[in-house]
Amino acid sequence: MSTGERDFKKLIRQDVQSMHAYAIQDSMGMVKLDAMENPHRLPAALQAHLGQRLGAVALNRYPDGRVNELRHALADYAQMPEGFDIMLGNGSDELISLLAMACDVSGEAAGSGRPAAAILAPLPGFVMYGMSAQLQGLKFIGVPLTPDFELDEAAMLAAIAEHRPSIIYIAYPNNPTANLWDDAVIDKVIAAAPGLVVMDEAYQPFASKSYIDRIARHGHVLLMRTMSKFGLAGVRLGYMMGPKALIAEVDKVRPPYNISVLNYECALFALEHAEVFAAQAEDIRAQRTVLVNALQALPEVKTWKSDANMVLVRVPDAAKTFEGMRSRGVLVKNVSKMHALLGDCLRLTVGTADENALMLAALKESL
Ligand code: PMP
């Protein structure tokens, strides 16, 4: 080792060295249907208008009070109840990390009456819940869903009683299974939770139900959403609503300028044109119906119903079908190794009518 070099193997945490980096697939030149993005771009006239708006932004200054205009606009858009407040993250990914940081208290498990520093979520689910726990040095408790991807009520309640988690994540709808949950089971989980419950509504624009009109019943339930699936995945803007006093505490761990001037100006602009994005979401929901119907007509493919802009399917050989589709220029997500319950499953993002037709053709040829 030369002078000045350091042995990073000794400097970097052992658990970080053992981790895999979050894998982003190379999608150059592909029909990209792997990450639940909105396939529609901003209409050309709005692009020019937004360009002017962004050009006029004071890039020389730190983000200022205008970020609060976005907080208020989002609260109105989401119909946040009285007594609640809203905080913003650089994507909901950041909010998930900040929550783990804020809840890192040394609790004790069963018997103490105090929540332990653990995070609990059903599996298969969104990977960031587990990752945020691990990076913060917290325990992660993954509770398997039933084989038909419903919440396992008995297993959830038993795990909550045993581990007394500080945070429970309920993705509503779930990723990658795309379904909503039985409301009665959600109520029992919320009632049994000794800590916080986060309803993660990332896929709300495509869902038939939301928890927004029920959060005010509780003092320990937070509702998280993102502008990503709405149509601004590139902007990175997530938001979380909860009782005022609770949000005030969590917000203290947020880096002060986490939302750039460009992020908030884009998000404000998008909300001023919410009807454009609502029409895009409506198109995606309509295309989802067409896609699911076509998939259900394939006898070798098992298709689950979806409340999101993705459809989970099981094929006879996921690796073969995934590679076959990729070689035909269509990129989806092979989730078959993510969890034992997902054997031979692929996750298909709902695209435009044309993209979905290409995806279906590639899928059929690759079975
Ligand atoms: N929650 C769920 C359930 C997700 O699937 C995702 C992303 N795929 C996120 C949160 C994070 O979204 P973002 O960071 O883009 O806001």
Side-chain angles (χ1 to χ4, degrees), residues 36 91-93 96 126 129 171 175 200 202-203 226 228-229 236:
M36 285 81 75
S92 33
D93 284 346
I96 293 167
F126 182 41
Y129 308 146
N175 171 12
D200 180 350
Y203 299 96
T226 176
S228 295
K229 317 299 168 183
R236 310 305 298 131

Side-chain angles (χ1 to χ4, degrees), residues 22 34-36 89-96 125-129 169-176 200-203 224-229 232-234 236-239 310 347:
Y22 189 98
D34 66 327
M36 285 81 75
N90 197 269
S92 33
D93 284 346
E94 185 183 41
L95 293 169
I96 293 167
F126 182 41
V127 290
M128 275 299 292
Y129 308 146
Y169 279 100
I170 306 278
Y172 189 75
N174 191 41
N175 171 12
D200 180 350
E201 295 195 346
Y203 299 96
M224 187 182 278
R225 287 196 185 161
T226 176
M227 299 291 277
S228 295
K229 317 299 168 183
L232 300 183
R236 310 305 298 131
L237 207 292
Y239 56 108
M310 64 186 126
R347 188 189 67 194

